[in-house]
């Protein structure tokens, strides 16, 4: 375990949330592990009315800015790989756009989000490089989620099948 991870205290609610309930501590591909761990939470969110789901996502962005900033500060590393709350929120945004709740569409949303989150095309890369602190940790995944949702929406609702 690296020195930054040793500074995490899972009894600290900010650290627990920032690491996606510990999913970000997975040794290989913590961002992918966090994206997968976001799916059961998303399944619970789908039982909420759409407006409430949207408010939860907006609140999660706002609280995420603080908890990611604080956890990164406590770890002594900006945007350490184990901080995956941003992946949770990006997945929740992406999955808002699936046309039907099926494992195939969830998988499609997951793959599209991971591609944009890893690849970071413009404008995602610009935000990733130029915005710092908790906002910087969150914003690139929020934008990746919005772009992924747009792609999933267009495929799901306008693809000529």
């Amino acid at each position: 375990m690296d020195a930054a991870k040793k500074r995490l205290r899972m009894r600290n609610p900010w650290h627990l949330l920032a690491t996606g309930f510990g999913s970000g501590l997975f040794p290989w591909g913590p961002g992918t592990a966090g994206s997968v761990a976001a799916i059961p939470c998303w399944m619970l969110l789908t039982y909420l009315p759409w407006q409430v789901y949207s408010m939860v996502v907006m609140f999660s962005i706002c609280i995420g800015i603080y908890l990611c900033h604080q956890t990164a500060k406590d770890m002594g590393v900006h945007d350490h790989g184990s901080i995956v709350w941003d992946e949770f929120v990006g997945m929740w945004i992406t999955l808002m756009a699936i046309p039907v709740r099926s494992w195939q569409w969830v998988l499609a949303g997951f793959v599209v989000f991971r591609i944009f989150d890893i690849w970071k095309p413009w404008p995602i890369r610009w935000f990733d490089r130029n915005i710092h602190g908790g906002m910087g940790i969150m914003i690139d995944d929020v934008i990746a989620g919005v772009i992924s949702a747009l792609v999933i929406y267009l495929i799901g609702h306008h693809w000529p099948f």
Side-chain angles (χ1 to χ4, degrees):
M1 181 181 293
D2 67 45
K5 283 185 182 178
K6 289 181 182 177
R7 294 185 195 105
L8 285 171
R9 299 290 173 255
M10 298 312 282
R11 288 187 176 193
N12 179 327
W14 301 129
H15 294 184
L16 183 66
L17 287 174
T19 62
F21 306 102
S23 62
L25 300 176
F26 195 74
W28 307 285
T32 299
S35 297
V36 169
I39 294 170
C41 297
W42 164 79
M43 290 175 72
L44 293 173
L45 289 173
T46 63
Y47 291 104
L48 298 173
W50 187 85
Q51 297 87 343
V52 176
Y53 178 148
S54 299
M55 289 176 60
V56 168
V57 169
M58 287 185 275
F59 178 74
S60 296
I61 292 168
C62 294
I63 199 73
I65 292 168
Y66 176 78
L67 70 92
C68 290
H69 173 76
Q70 190 60 49
T71 302
K73 187 172 135 185
D74 292 346
M75 293 178 80
V77 179
H78 173 71
D79 204 2
H80 190 275
S82 64
I83 297 174
V84 295
W85 184 254
D86 48 334
E87 273 80 12
F88 270 59
V89 174
M91 278 294 295
W92 296 343
I93 293 168
T94 300
L95 295 175
M96 290 174 92
I98 63 174
V100 293
R101 188 175 152 177
S102 71
W103 70 266
Q104 295 94 337
W105 279 108
V106 173
L107 179 61
F110 170 80
V111 169
V112 170
F113 174 71
R114 290 309 299 150
I115 288 169
F116 281 111
D117 188 32
I118 293 167
W119 178 33
K120 296 191 188 319
W122 185 91
I124 301 166
R125 178 169 288 142
W126 186 90
F127 284 96
D128 185 54
R129 291 181 178 170
N130 294 292
I131 309 296
H132 305 289
M135 177 67 83
I137 294 170
M138 289 295 299
I139 194 70
D140 63 308
D141 289 85
V142 168
I143 295 170
V146 169
I147 293 170
S148 299
L150 179 63
V151 168
I152 291 296
Y153 178 83
L154 291 172
I155 292 170
H157 296 281
H158 299 289
W159 194 265
F161 292 122

